[in-house]
Amino acid sequence: MRDLAAGVRYLGRGQRWAVGHGRWFGFGLLPALVTFVLYAAALTALAFWADDVAVWATPFADSWDETWRSILRGLFAVLLWLGALLLSVLTFTAVTLLVGDPFYEKLSEQVEESEGGCPEDLGRPLWLELWTSLCDSLYVLWRALLLAVPLFFLGFVPVLGQTVVPALGFCVSGFFLTLELVSVAMQRRGIPVRERLRILRARKALALGFGVPLVLAFLVPFVAVLLMPGAVAGAALLVRDLMDEDGGVDAGEVHDGGVTGEGEQPHGPVGPAAGSRPPGGSRQ
């Protein structure tokens, strides 16, 4: 529960930071707004054609009684659109971060500078940063789909598909949404995507506390655009504490907005590549 509360707290801190820095808040809105318009158009088109897709995908039901045929195809159309919505939530952040990579990189750096210092730039060219981000996002999407696709078909199971499956879907989306958001600050530290996944797996509750509220909020039209700058800022704050030079995070106790604890081995890399604060750095 402590990690879960810590994740929510990081999300809140990030939103407060963005709102308190109006210039950077507006700076971070632009890529999210462009991506939102594209996704909204795609989902609207799918809603319009969902019934036709359902008829095409279920030819075996042509000979069924009209009532059962309508129920099956109606359920298929609804689940198809909900599956597309889930996929949109999973990919919205990745696409937005890719489109706005220079924007969010600068925003994330500014957050860390305001907290005491930013790790040194790895000195990679922009095209390499974009290529790395694209490859990492495709890897994350592939891992997410390994869970999302089975959940889609489990949605057809009575009762289970209307109760447990949606809850699991939100958790899957929240975890991988957090993974995408922390990638901005972790990539700056040279941490590969598989290592990021391992770190968050060790702190699932922390990732869910940060990501699930965002997933729920992203279901409301246009809210995703407004929350993206704060989400990137909150992820930078989360990574900063996870990768702290004094050994990272341990048992997950929240203290002064950070994550501390005792009795557990540190997670994630430590040392110059993973550190986030220069010696003597302080929070403002």
Side-chain angles (χ1 to χ4, degrees):
M1 288 300 294
R2 287 177 174 177
D3 264 2
L4 201 63
V8 176
R9 183 172 297 185
Y10 279 115
L11 181 58
R13 287 179 61 199
Q15 298 303 325
R16 288 195 299 272
W17 190 96
V19 172
H21 297 74
R23 173 173 171 265
W24 291 101
F25 176 74
F27 191 71
L29 286 179
L30 297 177
L33 182 59
V34 171
T35 307
F36 173 81
V37 171
L38 295 175
Y39 272 72
L43 287 172
T44 300
L46 179 60
F48 183 78
W49 294 104
D51 290 338
D52 293 330
V53 175
V55 172
W56 170 81
T58 57
F60 56 86
D62 289 343
S63 59
W64 289 15
D65 178 79
E66 183 179 354
T67 300
W68 289 109
R69 183 172 65 245
S70 298
I71 291 174
L72 173 66
R73 288 175 172 170
L75 180 61
F76 185 93
V78 170
L79 289 176
L80 176 65
W81 194 85
L82 290 177
L85 181 63
L86 175 61
L87 184 63
S88 297
V89 172
L90 287 172
T91 59
F92 177 84
T93 300
V95 174
T96 303
L97 293 176
L98 188 63
V99 170
D101 184 81
F103 291 81
Y104 293 124
E105 181 65 31
K106 290 296 183 182
L107 191 155
S108 181
E109 287 179 4
Q110 188 65 28
V111 172
E112 297 214 49
E113 289 291 350
S114 71
E115 291 290 307
C118 184
E120 292 184 9
D121 190 354
L122 296 178
R124 294 185 294 193
L126 178 59
W127 70 266
L128 182 57
E129 293 283 354
L130 292 173
W131 175 252
T132 301
S133 296
L134 176 60
C135 293
D136 290 352
S137 294
L138 291 175
Y139 175 81
V140 171
L141 177 60
W142 172 69
R143 296 301 297 261
L145 289 177
L146 289 178
L147 297 174
V149 171
L151 287 176
F152 172 79
F153 289 104
L154 285 174
F156 288 96
V157 179
V159 182
L160 182 70
Q162 292 74 50
T163 54
V164 177
V165 171
L168 290 177
F170 285 127
C171 290
V172 170
S173 299
F175 179 86
F176 286 101
L177 180 60
T178 301
L179 180 59
E180 284 287 358
L181 287 166
V182 300
S183 293
V184 178
M186 286 192 176
Q187 184 174 318
R188 183 162 57 245
R189 290 166 167 80
I191 302 173
V193 64
R194 289 175 176 79
E195 179 66 11
R196 300 170 211 163
L197 180 60
R198 186 195 68 79
I199 293 169
L200 288 188
R201 274 178 173 172
R203 305 301 297 275
K204 288 187 182 73
L206 182 66
L208 293 176
F210 187 88
V212 171
L214 272 176
V215 171
L216 295 173
F218 280 11
L219 296 178
V220 181
F222 201 67
V223 170
V225 176
L226 297 177
L227 295 184
M228 269 302 293
V232 173
L237 295 170
L238 187 154
V239 170
R240 190 174 179 81
D241 287 329
L242 279 176
M243 301 290 102
D244 199 348
E245 282 184 341
D246 63 8
V249 290
D250 296 329
E253 180 180 352
V254 181
H255 177 67
D256 189 30
V259 182
T260 60
E262 56 188 18
E264 184 177 337
Q265 294 302 313
H267 300 295
V270 294
S276 57
R277 298 184 194 132
S282 58
R283 297 187 179 186
Q284 295 179 351

